[in-house]
Amino acid sequence: MAKALVTLAIGKNYELMFDKYCRSLWLHYAEKYQFELVVFTQPLDNSSKAQSRNPSWQKCLILSQPSLQKYDRVVWVDADVLINPNSPDITEGVPLEKFMIFGLRMVSNT
């Protein structure tokens, strides 16, 4: 079963912070549970509407990305989250035909 651990780090500052504080923990977790780490560093949507919104809206587009279609499981985690390498596999016990959302918080002013 192919699994992806996905995040978005747009802009040099965010990329550097992810690399400095998170990447090694994420890689350890990904290796432990056979995830491929996918870090998008460019917006998934460059339309004017997308550019007028907070970049966090981009996460709503991950499942439509061609590069992720090969995975049976796709797990989104915000790039500022430190993953405890001793955490259990987040996909364990979730049937393939289901999906889960943890701690999703979206605020819109449009």
Side-chain angles (χ1 to χ4, degrees):
M1 179 181 314
K3 300 187 291 186
L5 184 61
V6 183
T7 197
L8 183 70
I10 297 175
K12 203 59 170 169
N13 287 339
Y14 290 102
E15 287 182 56
L16 291 172
M17 284 190 289
F18 179 79
D19 288 342
K20 181 177 181 179
Y21 298 110
C22 300
R23 185 177 291 276
S24 64
L25 294 170
W26 286 45
L27 285 170
H28 183 81
Y29 180 87
E31 182 178 306
K32 182 176 182 178
Y33 295 114
Q34 293 82 49
F35 282 89
E36 183 173 335
L37 179 59
V38 178
V39 180
F40 290 103
T41 57
Q42 299 296 319
L44 305 178
D45 179 0
N46 283 312
S47 70
S48 58
K49 184 173 185 175
Q51 290 177 9
S52 71
R53 291 180 166 172
N54 185 301
S56 65
W57 280 93
Q58 297 281 325
K59 69 178 97 175
C60 298
L61 305 173
I62 63 165
L63 293 179
S64 66
Q65 297 308 296
S67 62
L68 297 178
Q69 299 307 304
K70 64 183 178 182
Y71 298 101
D72 302 301
R73 302 281 186 158
V74 175
V75 175
W76 172 271
V77 181
D78 286 343
D80 60 352
V81 172
L82 297 174
I83 297 178
N84 181 339
N86 296 317
S87 298
D89 182 345
I90 195 168
T91 64
E92 186 176 322
V94 180
L96 278 174
E97 68 276 3
K98 302 287 184 181
F99 69 92
M100 297 173 59
I101 299 173
F102 294 99
L104 180 63
R105 181 182 72 225
M106 298 183 93
V107 178
S108 172
N109 56 353
T110 57

